[in-house]
Amino acid sequence: MYKISELAKSVGLSRTAILYYEKQQLLCAKRLSNGYRVYSDKDVQRVRLIQKLLAGGLTIKECKACLDAKINSQLLRDRLATLQSEIQQKQQAHDLLLAILGDTPQQGWHEELSAIAPDAHLSWLINQGFSEKEALRLKWLSKDMNEHDVYMADFTTVFSGLSRWAPGSDEDTLKALSFVPSELSTILDIGCGTGYATELLIKHTQAQVIAVDNEQSALNTLSQRIKHQGFTHRLQTQCISMTELKFATESIDLIWSEGSAYIMGVENALKQWKPFIAQHGALVFSDLVWKVDTPSRDALEYWSKAYPDMQNVETRLAQISKAGYKLTTHFEQSNQAWENYYAPLQSRVSTLKKDLPNSAALRDIDEEVNLCTQYANEFGYHVFILKI
């Protein structure tokens, strides 16, 4: 015979647990003349059976049903299904933690989060200490935030030797500028990079130009070039994220954004920038769009990861109207603008392959160059000129 403390010790439970089993009528102790509870070997085995049933995921109530009558097979199958679902959830949690720690590849997790919560994903990456451009490259290309130092160093090496950091041409910029009001006091160039468009905006208007980018080295390059041309008094630079712009309501005559609205998401950019634009002001932006209704598999697969929100022109026009803008005009960016970027980039990648044979950044850029060269007829940049 076992006293309650002896039973508890034998089965590795607390005295409280044994009393709880009794309360739930899973056990029934005998009482001695002095009122003490005592248990038999049969009770010990019953407790061990209960422990096994509980370990199988059954509740106390279900354990009692299995002990007191013939096993309900459906009950066990339902519990098994629940358990399998819980195991799957825990495995997903396990894989997620490994990915965040960098012990396993993160590509799948980043792609899923980019698809269901792109703005929150970008903000989270920035909160981890990455710059906006680093976060975007992790989001669209490398997908591995734990290798960002090497990746971004190689990425910078590639682009440090290039004059343009995105497709564009002077002719396209001036063509777009010709459709906006001629009398401009203030222009805001968002995501200006090294400022080829900024320079043209200064030269071909009388406005004060505010150039915004989160890459200080690019702004320094722009400032030096403008200084040599004698236009320093017309240029103001701000090294901030485009998600943190703070300007007075209706204080900007023209917002200019060549190839950068996608960073915030085009719909979000249209919404966030609109309050800054003065009455009768304008917004010019360019965006990568599909030119065909049925893209090739390779192109679709690549851009579904690299730019999940990529749309056709008709969809962008509908979003523009929904955001409350009036369309002035729109046009396809020229082939020359495409060549101005991808031809030097391709040459730069080829030059660096010997020096960076195992570079993930170089591999990603090379993939983009090859795809954009082979399927240039299926997608490209489109310029939209809007007014309030």
Side-chain angles (χ1 to χ4, degrees):
M1 304 298 287
Y2 299 84
K3 294 179 181 179
I4 189 170
S5 58
E6 293 171 335
L7 172 61
K9 183 178 181 181
S10 175
V11 297
L13 293 174
S14 67
R15 183 176 182 276
T16 302
I18 300 298
L19 291 174
Y20 179 71
Y21 286 176
E22 278 203 41
K23 183 178 180 181
Q24 299 300 317
Q25 300 180 348
L26 289 169
L27 286 175
C28 184
K30 292 182 179 179
R31 293 279 187 169
L32 298 178
S33 58
N34 58 8
Y36 287 176
R37 290 179 172 84
V38 291
Y39 303 88
S40 66
D41 284 330
K42 185 178 179 180
D43 292 322
V44 174
Q45 293 181 35
R46 186 177 174 90
V47 171
R48 286 175 175 160
L49 176 56
I50 292 169
Q51 289 176 307
K52 290 296 184 182
L53 292 173
L54 290 172
L58 273 65
T59 65
I60 289 292
K61 183 178 179 180
E62 291 167 344
C63 285
K64 188 175 187 303
C66 288
L67 291 169
D68 293 347
K70 184 179 179 180
I71 291 177
N72 184 330
S73 297
Q74 188 57 50
L75 183 149
L76 295 184
R77 291 189 184 281
D78 291 344
R79 179 54 60 185
L80 181 61
T82 300
L83 185 61
Q84 288 174 334
S85 177
E86 292 173 352
I87 290 172
Q88 184 178 9
Q89 291 174 3
K90 290 184 182 299
Q91 184 62 50
Q92 290 174 347
H94 173 267
D95 294 344
L96 171 59
L97 292 175
L98 286 177
I100 292 177
L101 289 170
D103 295 338
T104 59
Q106 296 177 300
Q107 182 171 348
W109 181 71
H110 281 287
E111 289 174 357
E112 181 181 1
L113 194 55
S114 291
I116 63 175
D119 295 339
H121 183 210
L122 179 60
S123 296
W124 181 77
L125 287 171
I126 293 173
N127 286 339
Q128 304 313 303
F130 301 99
S131 73
E132 189 173 52
K133 285 184 178 172
E134 287 176 330
L136 281 167
R137 283 295 156 179
L138 296 170
K139 181 178 177 181
W140 301 139
L141 294 177
S142 75
K143 305 296 192 294
D144 194 341
M145 59 186 281
N146 299 286
E147 297 178 0
H148 75 284
D149 288 337
V150 173
Y151 188 96
M152 293 309 300
D154 290 350
F155 184 81
T156 301
T157 298
V158 174
F159 282 89
S160 63
L162 298 175
S163 56
R164 286 189 180 272
W165 290 4
S169 72
D170 292 359
E171 292 76 15
D172 286 341
T173 296
L174 293 176
K175 179 179 178 179
L177 185 60
S178 70
F179 291 106
V180 305
S182 57
E183 295 184 4
L184 301 169
S185 297
T186 307
I187 300 174
L188 175 60
D189 187 0
I190 300 175
C192 64
T194 54
Y196 275 86
T198 315
E199 185 176 345
L200 291 173
L201 294 174
I202 290 176
K203 288 181 177 179
H204 292 270
T205 72
Q206 299 300 314
Q208 293 292 317
V209 178
I210 305 169
V212 172
D213 200 275
N214 64 355
E215 182 65 52
Q216 186 61 57
S217 64
L219 294 175
N220 291 343
T221 299
L222 169 61
S223 296
Q224 286 297 318
R225 200 164 65 247
I226 295 301
K227 181 179 180 180
H228 291 156
Q229 296 174 15
F231 292 115
T232 300
H233 63 289
R234 301 253 317 280
L235 175 67
Q236 176 188 342
T237 62
Q238 292 189 14
C239 186
I240 57 173
S241 165
M242 68 175 64
T243 62
E244 300 174 352
L245 299 178
K246 295 181 180 179
F247 295 97
T249 301
E250 299 184 6
S251 61
I252 307 296
D253 294 316
L254 170 62
I255 288 183
W256 197 275
S257 174
E258 288 196 29
S260 64
Y262 82 100
I263 293 175
M264 296 176 61
V266 171
E267 286 186 286
N268 191 34
L270 291 171
K271 177 182 177 181
Q272 296 295 323
W273 297 345
K274 188 179 179 184
F276 303 143
I277 305 174
Q279 289 294 323
H280 309 297
L283 165 62
V284 174
F285 77 95
S286 62
D287 185 44
L288 191 64
V289 298
W290 291 111
K291 296 180 181 180
V292 294
D293 294 331
T294 55
S296 61
R297 186 181 65 179
D298 288 346
L300 189 61
E301 182 178 338
Y302 179 83
W303 289 115
S304 66
K305 297 177 181 179
Y307 187 12
D309 187 41
M310 188 165 147
Q311 306 290 344
N312 57 29
V313 172
E314 289 71 23
T315 299
R316 288 296 183 227
L317 292 176
Q319 293 169 345
I320 287 167
S321 177
K322 183 180 178 181
Y325 292 86
K326 298 176 183 178
L327 178 69
T328 298
T329 191
H330 61 96
F331 61 87
E332 183 179 326
Q333 197 178 57
S334 64
N335 292 332
Q336 186 59 51
W338 199 254
E339 285 295 316
N340 287 347
Y341 175 64
Y342 279 109
L345 182 58
Q346 187 173 40
S347 176
R348 181 69 173 159
V349 169
S350 298
T351 301
L352 290 173
K353 281 185 176 179
K354 290 183 180 180
D355 297 329
L356 302 172
N358 300 314
S359 170
L362 194 66
R363 184 171 60 250
D364 286 340
I365 296 169
D366 192 28
E367 180 185 4
E368 179 183 343
V369 169
N370 290 333
L371 184 100
C372 291
T373 301
Q374 183 176 357
Y375 299 105
N377 63 309
E378 297 186 6
F379 51 82
Y381 276 88
H382 204 85
V383 182
F384 301 88
I385 299 92
L386 318 178
K387 61 183 177 181
I388 298 297

